[in-house]
Amino acid sequence: MSYSNKDNINLLTALLAAHHVRHAVVCPGSRNAPIVHNLHAHPDISCCPVTDERSAGFYALGMAQALRQPVVVCVTSGTALLNVAPAVAEAYYQHVPLIIISADRPRAWIDQLDGQTMRQEGALAPFVNKFVSLPEDISSATEHWHANRMVNEALLAAIQPQFGPVHINVPISEPLFEFDVTALPTERAITHWRSKADMALVRRLWDRMMRPDIKRPMVVFGQTLIDLNNKEMREAVQLLSRCSVAVSERLCNLPLVYTHAEEVLLMNGDDDSLLPDFILYMGDMLVSKRMRQFLRRAENAEVIMVSPDGQVHDTTMHMDTIVEAEPSELLRGFLHISSDAAALVDVSAEDSSLLEIPAGRIPYLEKWKDLHAKAEQLVEEQEPSYSQMAAVKYFEQQLEDMEYDFVVHYANSSAVRLANIFAWHHVYVNRGVNGIEGTLSTAAGFSVTSGKRVFCVIGDLSFFYDQNALWNSNLNGNLRIVLLNNGKGGIFDMLPGLERSEAGDMVSGVHHTSAQGICTQNDIGYLQASNMAELQVGMVTLLTEERQRPMVLEVFTDAETDAAVFREYHSMFEV
């Protein structure tokens, strides 16, 4: 048996088979010939030839109705695709799982007066659950992962959350008729579990995580809010932290988990002994690029992503299972999978063997525990010289003595990275897209509807970009702002290579602006600090003084010193 020499077609064929697609209606044409060849050659796929595409679409519709399974209809390039539209529309409103596969001309030739060439991307958009267009060249690891992920997304969308048609577009360059590949690749097929409080699925997930052959389990909490006033949630997190390495950042309000994974990875260098063989990922974004890259190095790990919307969010690049559930729903389920689960959390960490943890994972858990304890000690002992780092550490230290209720919003870039080092509480940050705009406005909006003291720790570019947030008469004295002003986007000083560009100052937004005038025109209390003594006095005033209007403490630092202090901090952990 031989297959096409087109890598994207072979990937698609392998995944169709892996997702148990067993029937295809195929139409004639030269551009789709390599796809038809592969479908016909695969021993698990049965092909039904139909010449007229409009009729072919309805043939596939009838087959899918009878089988209650996805059926492929494969067409060539050009208007052939448009002829399946009536059947696709019918399938959309009947919720029938059709997989429309269209061959396409190379993207470079679209709209260039070439034969049978038109805009096929999105041609069926109103009537499909999902559309993807595959890259032609998937020779790089990233392009291969991207193509694999897109096909998985499309095939899952044909059946989740309900049946419906999907469209997979496949650009193909000539030559078309080379069939010398003897075997299809082994491709990752993503499985979709719908939890929705289904305890059988929760038990299945728990048993998978607790298998004896899993020796390096890790639970990752991305940005999320979990109600820790709820006793069940606290106990569930504690349970997970006893039987796995549970890591998070301050974007997730979880105690009892490792929050200095970035520093642990620095200490461990390139040693692969910390790599997990099982990853359960809950929540959204991780700030740490190093942590994301670390997870992507775990190529052989089983990876389960908890996805409330059921969509593919493949942060690790190795996900094999989606669990459609809210993290809190899953955590609650873990506590109730057996009658003795709740009792486990009362056992001391030293008696971890009593938790029925597979013995093979104890060395991994202990290594993370020891390294994280060392990282915490180094963070605690760190005494940075006057800088943005010193300002954030002092701010967080002083917050511990405050008796009022508060929340803290951090801006992106340097500010949120400093929060991950020194914050001891949950922090809010606009990390969905990571833009610099809107942090001040978000904190201001939070403050006008909250009875708590609302702090905003923000860099200069983010502050000045969003200064109109202060042009609002509804603001009151519960909004307090720590403005870190070093005259530029300091995060750019951490990017290796930018110093070689003569446009470096433009890229990093160098400026000579102060917030004093902005505060005056908006009736905002203004404080400033240019050294450690002034910072200490100003910070205490910001945290304790009662006022009817917001206050700003502008902390002036030197950008080069800030970068040097940050590098010095990281050097403490580097092997």
Side-chain angles (χ1 to χ4, degrees), residues 41-216:
H42 199 286
D44 294 335
I45 299 176
S46 174
C47 291
C48 174
V50 178
T51 299
D52 180 89
E53 286 87 4
R54 184 169 61 173
S55 179
F58 284 102
Y59 258 82
L61 178 71
M63 293 167 66
Q65 287 173 334
L67 295 166
R68 298 301 294 165
Q69 295 175 358
V71 172
V72 168
V73 54
C74 177
V75 301
T76 196
S77 63
T79 55
L81 174 63
L82 301 181
N83 284 308
V84 301
V88 172
E90 184 65 25
Y92 181 76
Y93 288 109
Q94 276 199 49
H95 309 297
V96 176
L98 293 188
I99 301 169
I100 297 87
I101 299 177
S102 57
D104 198 359
R105 301 298 173 114
R107 180 171 293 182
W109 288 103
I110 306 300
D111 294 338
Q112 300 308 305
L113 308 183
D114 203 42
Q116 284 190 290
T117 306
M118 68 173 208
R119 301 177 195 177
Q120 293 184 195
E121 295 192 3
L124 304 175
F127 306 113
V128 292
N129 289 354
K130 183 79 176 180
F131 164 75
V132 299
S133 188
L134 301 186
E136 276 202 81
D137 182 6
I138 59 171
S139 56
S140 74
T142 299
E143 285 295 344
H144 186 277
W145 163 76
H146 186 202
N148 174 283
R149 194 197 79 211
M150 285 195 293
V151 174
N152 269 292
E153 288 176 354
L155 297 182
L156 288 172
I159 58 174
Q160 297 284 358
Q162 62 181 354
F163 284 177
V166 297
H167 178 196
I168 301 173
N169 192 57
V170 188
I172 307 171
S173 294
E174 296 179 4
L176 304 174
F177 310 121
E178 295 182 358
F179 311 114
D180 53 11
V181 174
T182 57
L184 293 175
T186 300
E187 290 292 335
R188 171 191 63 157
I190 298 174
T191 304
H192 187 138
W193 294 358
R194 297 192 71 186
S195 173
K196 300 303 180 188
D198 184 335
M199 291 309 298
L201 285 178
V202 175
R203 165 57 85 175
R204 182 180 172 193
L205 175 56
W206 176 259
D207 289 346
R208 183 171 169 183
M209 183 166 62
M210 294 301 291
R211 288 198 329 258
D213 62 310
I214 300 296
K215 295 183 170 57
R216 301 188 305 279

Side-chain angles (χ1 to χ4, degrees), residues 411-572:
N412 276 306
S413 296
S414 298
V416 70
R417 287 166 172 82
L418 292 171
N420 272 336
I421 296 172
F422 297 116
W424 48 274
H425 50 81
H426 172 259
V427 303
Y428 287 89
V429 57
N430 289 347
R431 204 65 192 171
V433 187
N434 313 349
I436 69 167
E437 70 284 300
T439 294
L440 191 57
S441 292
T442 303
F446 196 111
S447 73
V448 299
T449 55
S450 173
K452 300 179 180 181
R453 186 70 60 88
V454 179
F455 294 96
C456 180
V457 182
I458 188 169
D460 43 18
L461 296 189
S462 297
F463 178 90
F464 294 124
Y465 195 96
D466 197 23
Q467 61 183 279
N468 279 344
L470 301 179
W471 184 35
N472 192 309
S473 60
N474 291 322
L475 298 177
N476 56 55
N478 71 328
L479 177 62
R480 305 295 167 98
I481 300 159
V482 179
L483 168 55
L484 306 173
N485 189 347
N486 62 7
K488 64 188 302 186
I491 194 71
F492 295 104
D493 285 336
M494 307 302 292
L495 301 179
L498 182 59
E499 72 278 1
R500 297 195 294 270
S501 172
E502 295 179 357
D505 284 355
M506 298 181 190
V507 172
S508 57
V510 171
H511 66 90
H512 304 283
T513 307
S514 165
Q516 186 168 8
I518 296 168
C519 291
T520 299
Q521 73 179 19
N522 290 294
D523 190 24
I524 305 296
Y526 178 77
L527 305 165
Q528 63 175 295
S530 298
N531 55 56
M532 201 64 199
E534 292 176 355
L535 171 68
Q536 292 170 347
V537 172
M539 196 68 73
V540 171
T541 303
L542 187 80
L543 268 61
T544 62
E545 188 169 304
E546 295 295 330
R547 293 201 181 186
Q548 297 300 309
R549 291 286 294 165
M551 294 177 63
V552 169
L553 171 60
E554 187 166 20
V555 181
F556 292 100
T557 61
D558 175 71
E560 291 185 5
T561 301
D562 289 334
V565 169
F566 222 109
R567 286 192 291 268
E568 180 184 348
Y569 172 80
H570 281 95
S571 68
M572 294 193 311

